Every structure is written in C-alpha cells, then in structure tokens.
Amino acid sequence: MDNQFIFKYSWETLPKKWVKKMERSEHGNSYDTNTDCPFQLLCFLQLHTYTRVQVSIDICGVDHPSRKRRFEVDYNLLSTRYNSRIRVQTSADEVTRISQVVSPFPPVGRWEREVWDMFGVSSINHPDLRRISTDYGFEGHPLRKDLPLSGYVEVRYDDPEKHVVSEPIEMTQEFRYFDSASPWEQRSDG
Amino acid sequence: MFLRRFARPSSLMMMAKVKETTGIVGLEVVPNAREVLIDLYNKTLTEIQRVPEDEGYRKAVESFTRHRLSVCEQEEDWESIEKKLGCGQVEELIEEARDELKLIDKMIEWDPWGVPDDYECEVVENDAPVPKHVPLHRPGPLPEEFYKTLEAVMGGKLDGALKKDEPVIPATSQST
C-alpha cells in the first residue's frame, strides 16, 4: 500500500499529455508514452522534489512482431530517496527514432547503444551511437525475432590465409524443433 | 589559527551547533543553509506563477514550497528545520530546491500543459496478488508534508482511509 503513494502522486502531478497508459500494480508500476516524450518525462521524474528518480537501472527493448510498432523500449528507474521503482515504456518501429535520455542519466549511453545494436532502435542526438555487443562488421540486429537463433554467418580461423573469415552458415544437422506442449511423441495419425 | 579561534566571541559558538559533515560523499556543508533555502523557495514561488493555474504540478509545488518556507522562517537552527520537516538534511533540501527550479524552467520551455480533446489514457489497475514467497517491496515512511501535498494536488479527495497513521516498518525493509 505504501509504495503506491509516490506513483499516485506522480500520476496526478505530471502533465497528462506525456502519458498514454499507466499501469499500477504490485508487480511494478509503469507509464507508457510516445517516442518524443521519454526525455521530458524522465527529466521530470529526476528533478521533481517528490519523485527524485536519480538512478536508471536498465533500458531494454522488446520485440513484438505482431504489432505495428513492434519494438518496445523499457526504461527501468529507481528512486533511492523514496525507495520506489518505476518503469517507462515507449513503442517504436524500425525507422522511428527515440529521444535520447543521456543528458539526465549519463550511464544510459551504453544501454541505448545496446538497444540500437540488438534491435535497431536509434536515438536522436545520442552522443555516441555505435555497436556494443556484436562483432565488428556484423550485419543485422540479433534480438529481433526475425533473425534466426544461429544467425546467417559463421566465423572460423583460416590457416592458409592466416586470419578469421566469415562464411555462410553450414549446419550439419537440421534445426530441431521441440514442441513442449505434450510429453508424448508427436505423431500425425489421428 | 589558534589566535583566531580564541578571539571569536564564545556566544556565537553557543547559539548554533556547527555542522561538521553531512555524512554524504560529495555533499558539502552549507553554513548559511537557512538563508539559501529561504531565497530558493521564494524564487520557486515566483517562478511557479508562470505555470498555468489548475495544473496538478503547480498545486503540488506551491503546497510543499509554502510549507517548507514557513518552517524555514519559523525555525532559526538548521537542526530544528531538519527535524521538523523530516525530509533529510538541509543540504539535500537545497539540492532539491535547485533541481525544482531547473525543472520549472524546463517545463515552461516545453510547455506540455493542457490536455488535447482526443486524449485517451488507458489506466490499468492490476490488483493481481503477488505470491507469498516473493519478497514484496516495502519502502519506508514518507514525510508528513508529502501527504499534505498529495491532498492539495488531488483537491482534497484523499480520504482518511488512504492516509496511514503510523509508519509500518516490516522486518524485511530494514536496511543498513
């Protein structure tokens, strides 16, 4: 009961224009907003006296391929002063650019690079947007649902040429699909 | 150095205790905290007039700024200010006031007031209970003026059932 007060207060106080959807639950409070608002919303949450959210815990992305705006970027925040957590979500598609939140929260730089690298969701005015987790020269964005689990290229060290080469993937075994719905052997006779 | 210390009138030392340290790394002691705070709160109250009336933000800021300003003006000592407000140390209050001023500036620049006619907001109230084995997040007690501010923002709709009388401190949230 107590931890909902800060959330309720912030809901009453912040401009309604920024928030598309709010969720209040014991599992985690969250706001849903448009692509150009996260910077403003996060600055508000950081600076306002009764919602001193000074720590950004994480920024992650989620890919929902069935939706039109398929990527959802999720900012997890923590207020050490009032001991409350809050989540701000934004949705974007492949070409939309999100406003950066690096200026209120400097550590966010790496998280935004991660989101760019893994999903392809870039930020406007980001100071340093480059790949962070994938290999140099990797094409594609790995955590999207349309990139297969094994990827498209494999790398190996080529002894005659004395350097690492990347070649199209060659799998000796076909990708096995395990349907975990039923423990019995899957048969097509009925 | 010692000559200066003895030359100072001893009555000055007896009136107010000098704060040695805030205890927080990077936050220095501000000796004239009360004046700085009063100055900042007055500036905040003039700045917030630029925000349109009837906004929850303006009501909230006016409510807690006025309360804090009245406490600062009544009490002479930084220690009694801290104890009466219950909002942490005076240096933290100064930081909060400065941030609030910055925020008001930014809000006026962005101008997000007013709700467009086709505004729809999905409010999800998920009351699904959390399983018993999951440690539930229970923050500590909030300062009293927070509830007064909340009430001011909600226009007095906050009824007695929501206000808690005494702070509940369960064993899990004791942190060192």
Side-chain angles (χ1 to χ4, degrees):
Chain A
M1 187 54 185
D2 313 47
N3 51 350
Q4 302 298 339
F5 279 123
I6 294 274
F7 186 66
K8 191 199 270 292
Y9 170 82
S10 63
W11 170 239
E12 299 287 331
T13 321
L14 53 86
K16 296 287 191 294
K17 230 194 233 183
W18 288 339
V19 178
K20 274 197 313 200
K21 166 180 151 199
M22 73 94 118
E23 178 179 335
R24 174 200 72 75
S25 86
E26 287 289 320
H27 298 266
N29 301 320
S30 84
Y31 286 126
D32 207 347
T33 167
N34 299 316
T35 39
D36 44 354
C37 301
F39 173 68
Q40 298 166 348
L41 185 55
L42 264 60
C43 273
F44 177 91
L45 287 172
Q46 190 195 29
L47 295 173
H48 186 58
T49 316
Y50 274 130
T51 57
R52 300 274 290 172
V53 170
Q54 311 250 301
V55 181
S56 85
I57 300 280
D58 190 17
I59 297 188
C60 46
V62 188
D63 185 11
H64 299 270
S66 53
R67 292 191 199 163
K68 198 157 169 232
R69 294 170 76 94
R70 63 191 280 210
F71 301 116
E72 185 186 284
V73 179
D74 214 331
Y75 301 86
N76 288 306
L77 307 159
L78 165 69
S79 161
T80 46
R81 174 82 179 80
Y82 297 108
N83 196 3
S84 77
R85 290 175 188 258
I86 203 164
R87 199 168 65 231
V88 175
Q89 292 170 333
T90 320
S91 53
D93 49 19
E94 287 98 332
V95 291
T96 323
R97 303 178 82 187
I98 305 219
S99 64
Q100 49 91 17
V101 290
V102 179
S103 32
F105 300 104
V108 154
R110 300 220 180 170
W111 296 125
E112 297 216 329
R113 277 172 64 188
E114 170 92 12
V115 166
W116 157 244
D117 196 14
M118 294 284 125
F119 291 94
V121 179
S122 66
S123 314
I124 310 175
N125 290 333
H126 187 88
D128 185 21
L129 198 68
R130 50 194 161 103
R131 61 174 76 252
I132 190 169
S133 320
T134 50
D135 196 7
Y136 302 106
F138 187 87
E139 284 157 15
H141 297 280
L143 282 179
R144 291 190 177 184
K145 295 277 195 270
D146 43 12
L147 199 101
L149 187 60
S150 49
Y152 293 122
V153 290
E154 61 177 11
V155 289
R156 63 175 181 86
Y157 180 70
D158 193 292
D159 212 30
E161 298 189 32
K162 299 275 188 251
H163 67 82
V164 172
V165 297
S166 63
E167 291 165 341
I169 201 163
E170 263 176 34
M171 305 266 282
T172 47
Q173 199 180 40
E174 213 181 81
F175 185 74
R176 292 180 291 172
Y177 175 67
F178 296 104
D179 186 6
S180 53
S182 151
W184 311 114
E185 201 180 317
Q186 302 290 322
R187 292 244 194 125
S188 58
D189 52 7
Chain B
M1 180 176 89
F2 292 108
L3 286 171
R4 254 186 285 151
R5 202 184 274 182
F6 289 133
R8 210 178 284 161
S10 56
S11 62
L12 194 67
M13 303 301 275
M14 280 197 283
M15 271 202 303
K17 271 202 318 213
V18 171
K19 198 177 206 180
E20 293 274 320
T21 168
T22 57
I24 301 173
V25 175
L27 200 59
E28 299 139 2
V29 179
V30 174
N32 56 340
R34 185 174 164 263
E35 285 84 24
V36 172
L37 273 176
I38 292 178
D39 187 38
L40 282 170
Y41 290 142
N42 282 321
K43 226 187 278 181
T44 313
L45 283 173
T46 42
E47 288 287 316
I48 199 71
Q49 306 296 328
R50 293 157 65 189
V51 173
E53 186 69 59
D54 199 37
E55 283 286 334
Y57 181 60
R58 176 168 169 166
K59 283 188 231 164
V61 172
E62 282 184 341
S63 154
F64 66 72
T65 314
R66 281 206 189 108
H67 172 78
R68 288 182 179 192
L69 184 61
S70 66
V71 167
C72 279
E73 280 174 342
Q74 281 167 15
E75 307 287 335
E76 290 285 332
D77 219 10
W78 57 265
E79 206 177 344
S80 41
I81 293 180
E82 282 179 13
K83 214 179 294 190
K84 198 151 178 207
L85 279 179
C87 272
Q89 309 197 34
V90 277
E91 284 79 14
E92 291 179 330
L93 290 172
I94 292 176
E95 205 183 304
E96 287 180 359
R98 287 211 174 107
D99 278 346
E100 193 68 48
L101 273 173
K102 262 189 251 171
L103 183 63
I104 295 177
D105 254 336
K106 289 192 178 178
M107 297 288 263
I108 300 209
E109 189 196 317
W110 296 327
D111 204 14
W113 316 114
V115 176
D117 286 325
D118 57 346
Y119 173 74
E120 269 175 24
C121 180
E122 196 186 323
V123 174
V124 175
E125 306 248 346
N126 182 6
D127 281 319
V130 185
K132 283 211 181 58
H133 62 275
V134 175
L136 199 48
H137 165 74
R138 283 273 171 258
L142 295 165
E144 225 186 84
E145 56 166 28
F146 174 75
Y147 295 104
K148 295 204 189 101
T149 315
L150 188 56
E151 198 167 322
V153 168
M154 293 181 64
K157 284 184 284 187
L158 191 71
D159 50 307
L162 285 175
K163 262 203 210 152
K164 57 176 179 31
D165 304 293
E166 67 276 332
V168 173
I169 309 176
T172 45
S173 75
Q174 292 290 341
S175 57
T176 47

